[in-house]
Amino acid sequence: MSPASQNSDRANLLGSFASLLGVLGIFLYFIGWIYRWAYFGFFEVEITTLNLPLESFLLVPIQVILGDFWIFIRTIIVVSITVVLIQFTLWLIRSPKVSSPASTSKSPISRFTQKLHGFWLLKPLRSFAQLFPQPFRHEIVIIAWILVALFWLARWQGTADAYQDAVNNTSTRPIVTLVSPSDKMALGRNPDDLLTNLPLKNSRIIGDVNQFRQIFGRETNDTTNPEQPIVWRLLIENNNWVYLFPAMQPGAKANQRPPVLAINTGDGQVQLLIRSRPKRLP
């Protein structure tokens, strides 16, 4: 083999490797974005309002694919099903081969596949697919099914992790203490008199009053009742905003959501924010 052909093969190999890395990066970013969209969506926080670094989205897929043994097994199952669906879809949009009447009458499988290919809903789909060149047509099907599989993998894991962090005895979010001037927050307690509710005569409210009342009077941690402890945890600090929530009790339903407080710290209203290592309850 001549040096010129070797250089050409090496260049083609490097080009293919670079293209593969580009596609892999897109898939990883897609998984990370969907995971965080599902995770913060569980707490009713829009991910578009958070200024998260780009590289963080590329690390999240490790949790989605290799989080633990059962997550890895689920990934293998989803990958296997995706491969089958890709092959099945390519078979459906492929033009059916015309078989002889004798072979069709002898083979029940051939009769079934011919009827399936002749299903009226598949005809417009097959006609639409024929508009694209065959290699591009196959790539569209493959990428579409891969994105669907990655979407559901990331969404399932994001929702599962969010529920785990929302429940107190399984949460990995840090326990938090926030101290602020009394004239900056309507909620909160006086550290010298934790039993007295602060007056709210200068406060105004819009929206669900019951939501406010569920938090008012429960602003401090209280673990004296192990069946219904009150533990405030930090969801995230981002863009001069601090997101806090009271963790839910064990046995909370999957469709339950904890209230989340979004506190702006841009004007210096929060004087002290204390975070501690999360404590797992027995």
Side-chain angles (χ1 to χ4, degrees), residues 27 49 57 59 65 155 163 184 215 253 262:
F27 286 157
T49 63
F57 290 95
L59 299 176
I65 299 174
R155 182 175 182 181
Y163 175 79
K184 296 295 185 179
I215 300 174
K253 297 181 179 179

mmCIF file of all heavy atoms in Angstrom, residues 27 49 57 59 65 155 163 184 215 253 262:
data_model
loop_
_atom_site.group_PDB
_atom_site.id
_atom_site.type_symbol
_atom_site.label_atom_id
_atom_site.label_comp_id
_atom_site.label_asym_id
_atom_site.label_seq_id
_atom_site.Cartn_x
_atom_site.Cartn_y
_atom_site.Cartn_z
ATOM 1 N N PHE A 27 -26.002 13.324 21.540
ATOM 2 C CA PHE A 27 -26.850 12.396 22.293
ATOM 3 C C PHE A 27 -26.668 12.583 23.799
ATOM 4 O O PHE A 27 -27.638 12.556 24.553
ATOM 5 C CB PHE A 27 -26.546 10.952 21.898
ATOM 6 C CG PHE A 27 -27.088 10.560 20.550
ATOM 7 C CD1 PHE A 27 -26.548 9.510 19.838
ATOM 8 C CD2 PHE A 27 -28.155 11.242 19.989
ATOM 9 C CE1 PHE A 27 -27.047 9.144 18.599
ATOM 10 C CE2 PHE A 27 -28.679 10.894 18.751
ATOM 11 C CZ PHE A 27 -28.118 9.838 18.052
ATOM 12 N N THR A 49 -34.949 28.630 33.248
ATOM 13 C CA THR A 49 -34.659 29.757 34.143
ATOM 14 C C THR A 49 -33.350 29.563 34.902
ATOM 15 O O THR A 49 -32.915 30.472 35.603
ATOM 16 C CB THR A 49 -35.797 29.948 35.150
ATOM 17 O OG1 THR A 49 -35.898 28.772 35.985
ATOM 18 C CG2 THR A 49 -37.121 30.158 34.440
ATOM 19 N N PHE A 57 -24.307 19.065 31.581
ATOM 20 C CA PHE A 57 -25.256 18.216 30.858
ATOM 21 C C PHE A 57 -24.573 16.980 30.281
ATOM 22 O O PHE A 57 -25.233 15.982 30.008
ATOM 23 C CB PHE A 57 -25.921 19.013 29.735
ATOM 24 C CG PHE A 57 -26.865 20.071 30.221
ATOM 25 C CD1 PHE A 57 -26.448 21.374 30.391
ATOM 26 C CD2 PHE A 57 -28.181 19.759 30.519
ATOM 27 C CE1 PHE A 57 -27.316 22.353 30.833
ATOM 28 C CE2 PHE A 57 -29.067 20.734 30.968
ATOM 29 C CZ PHE A 57 -28.629 22.034 31.131
ATOM 30 N N LEU A 59 -22.251 15.252 31.823
ATOM 31 C CA LEU A 59 -21.922 14.322 32.898
ATOM 32 C C LEU A 59 -23.156 13.592 33.426
ATOM 33 O O LEU A 59 -23.036 12.487 33.962
ATOM 34 C CB LEU A 59 -21.237 15.065 34.045
ATOM 35 C CG LEU A 59 -19.913 15.748 33.701
ATOM 36 C CD1 LEU A 59 -19.388 16.528 34.893
ATOM 37 C CD2 LEU A 59 -18.872 14.735 33.243
ATOM 38 N N ILE A 65 -27.480 6.104 32.566
ATOM 39 C CA ILE A 65 -27.129 4.837 31.931
ATOM 40 C C ILE A 65 -26.447 3.880 32.897
ATOM 41 O O ILE A 65 -26.691 2.672 32.876
ATOM 42 C CB ILE A 65 -26.216 5.105 30.708
ATOM 43 C CG1 ILE A 65 -26.969 5.978 29.691
ATOM 44 C CG2 ILE A 65 -25.776 3.806 30.063
ATOM 45 C CD1 ILE A 65 -26.110 6.410 28.525
ATOM 46 N N ARG A 155 -36.018 10.727 31.065
ATOM 47 C CA ARG A 155 -37.189 11.201 31.809
ATOM 48 C C ARG A 155 -37.505 10.286 32.991
ATOM 49 O O ARG A 155 -37.793 10.771 34.096
ATOM 50 C CB ARG A 155 -38.392 11.291 30.878
ATOM 51 C CG ARG A 155 -39.639 11.835 31.569
ATOM 52 C CD ARG A 155 -40.787 12.036 30.629
ATOM 53 N NE ARG A 155 -41.930 12.605 31.325
ATOM 54 C CZ ARG A 155 -43.096 12.867 30.753
ATOM 55 N NH1 ARG A 155 -43.257 12.636 29.460
ATOM 56 N NH2 ARG A 155 -44.081 13.382 31.457
ATOM 57 N N TYR A 163 -38.013 12.327 42.810
ATOM 58 C CA TYR A 163 -38.882 11.806 43.877
ATOM 59 C C TYR A 163 -38.052 11.336 45.061
ATOM 60 O O TYR A 163 -38.404 11.570 46.221
ATOM 61 C CB TYR A 163 -39.734 10.655 43.339
ATOM 62 C CG TYR A 163 -40.577 9.988 44.407
ATOM 63 C CD1 TYR A 163 -41.766 10.566 44.840
ATOM 64 C CD2 TYR A 163 -40.165 8.793 44.989
ATOM 65 C CE1 TYR A 163 -42.534 9.964 45.836
ATOM 66 C CE2 TYR A 163 -40.921 8.187 45.979
ATOM 67 C CZ TYR A 163 -42.101 8.778 46.398
ATOM 68 O OH TYR A 163 -42.847 8.184 47.380
ATOM 69 N N LYS A 184 -37.348 41.593 55.091
ATOM 70 C CA LYS A 184 -37.105 41.140 53.720
ATOM 71 C C LYS A 184 -37.918 39.917 53.337
ATOM 72 O O LYS A 184 -38.028 39.591 52.169
ATOM 73 C CB LYS A 184 -35.607 40.829 53.526
ATOM 74 C CG LYS A 184 -34.689 42.033 53.679
ATOM 75 C CD LYS A 184 -34.939 43.054 52.595
ATOM 76 C CE LYS A 184 -33.940 44.201 52.688
ATOM 77 N NZ LYS A 184 -34.146 45.196 51.620
ATOM 78 N N ILE A 215 -47.202 26.461 54.718
ATOM 79 C CA ILE A 215 -45.803 26.711 55.071
ATOM 80 C C ILE A 215 -45.704 27.580 56.322
ATOM 81 O O ILE A 215 -44.824 27.385 57.158
ATOM 82 C CB ILE A 215 -45.076 27.387 53.902
ATOM 83 C CG1 ILE A 215 -45.126 26.483 52.670
ATOM 84 C CG2 ILE A 215 -43.634 27.701 54.255
ATOM 85 C CD1 ILE A 215 -44.549 27.124 51.432
ATOM 86 N N LYS A 253 -47.054 9.872 47.705
ATOM 87 C CA LYS A 253 -47.417 9.367 46.386
ATOM 88 C C LYS A 253 -46.532 9.986 45.313
ATOM 89 O O LYS A 253 -45.986 11.074 45.491
ATOM 90 C CB LYS A 253 -48.885 9.672 46.095
ATOM 91 C CG LYS A 253 -49.847 8.981 47.062
ATOM 92 C CD LYS A 253 -51.289 9.301 46.718
ATOM 93 C CE LYS A 253 -52.255 8.602 47.672
ATOM 94 N NZ LYS A 253 -53.669 8.923 47.365
ATOM 95 N N ALA A 262 -38.666 30.087 46.207
ATOM 96 C CA ALA A 262 -37.607 30.714 45.410
ATOM 97 C C ALA A 262 -37.302 32.064 46.039
ATOM 98 O O ALA A 262 -38.150 32.962 46.049
ATOM 99 C CB ALA A 262 -38.056 30.872 43.960
#
